[in-house]
Amino acid sequence: MCEYEGPRFTKEVADERYKDRFVTYLFSCGDDGMVIDGFGTAMFINHSCDPNCETEDHGGRVYIVAVRDIAAGEELTYEYNLCDSDDAEADCYCGAATCRGTMFSEAELKRRARVAKRLERKAKRS
Ligand SMILES: [Zn+2]
């Protein structure tokens, strides 16, 4: 088990602080609008659609927890379930048989489909 540690601030502060940075290690924790600016081992754990770990929230602290036995030397992974509101792509190339092709969460994919439809309708009208 490994905690996702780092300073915490609001999404607005994070957006401002990292607007010019391509790579960030922000972990958004729930609906309170706060993010953790990853600083530690957990920030290096990669995404997989067939992960061997998952994240657990315990009173606002985020832990990466194994969901099955992990062999020595096996890479730790968990599902990112990204929900960024910006337009950045997050294609997945994890290679798992069950790969979804994206690191976005189901909810985020639905939201993006809605936005795309709205833009399509708007484009047709004009
Ligand atoms: Zn994948």
Side-chain angles (χ1 to χ4, degrees):
M1 188 158 93
C2 171
E3 184 174 359
Y4 203 100
E5 291 175 297
R8 286 153 195 267
F9 33 77
T10 64
K11 262 181 194 137
E12 288 72 29
V13 171
D15 284 346
E16 179 60 28
R17 186 172 299 190
Y18 293 121
K19 62 181 180 213
D20 300 323
R21 277 246 308 258
F22 186 65
V23 175
T24 57
Y25 295 98
L26 299 172
F27 192 104
S28 135
C29 31
D31 303 324
D32 60 0
M34 297 298 284
V35 296
I36 303 172
D37 192 8
F39 188 80
T41 317
M43 70 187 239
F44 295 112
I45 300 177
N46 282 318
H47 163 93
S48 170
C49 298
D50 183 24
N52 51 25
C53 297
E54 64 180 15
T55 58
E56 279 183 13
D57 186 324
H58 293 285
R61 299 181 75 167
V62 176
Y63 297 92
I64 316 290
V65 185
V67 289
R68 57 176 166 82
D69 289 340
I70 298 169
E74 187 181 345
E75 182 184 1
L76 300 179
T77 55
Y78 66 96
E79 278 217 61
Y80 279 8
N81 280 322
L82 297 179
C83 52
D84 284 336
S85 53
D86 61 28
D87 287 322
E89 292 298 319
D91 293 344
C92 181
Y93 306 97
C94 72
T98 52
C99 181
R100 297 189 296 122
T102 178
M103 296 188 281
F104 287 124
S105 67
E106 292 295 328
E108 175 65 9
L109 288 175
K110 275 182 198 149
R111 191 191 68 78
R112 282 169 176 259
R114 276 200 307 275
V115 170
K117 250 184 210 154
R118 202 181 309 140
L119 290 175
E120 210 173 280
R121 277 200 299 271
K122 209 187 240 176
K124 271 183 194 153
R125 276 201 299 271
S126 60

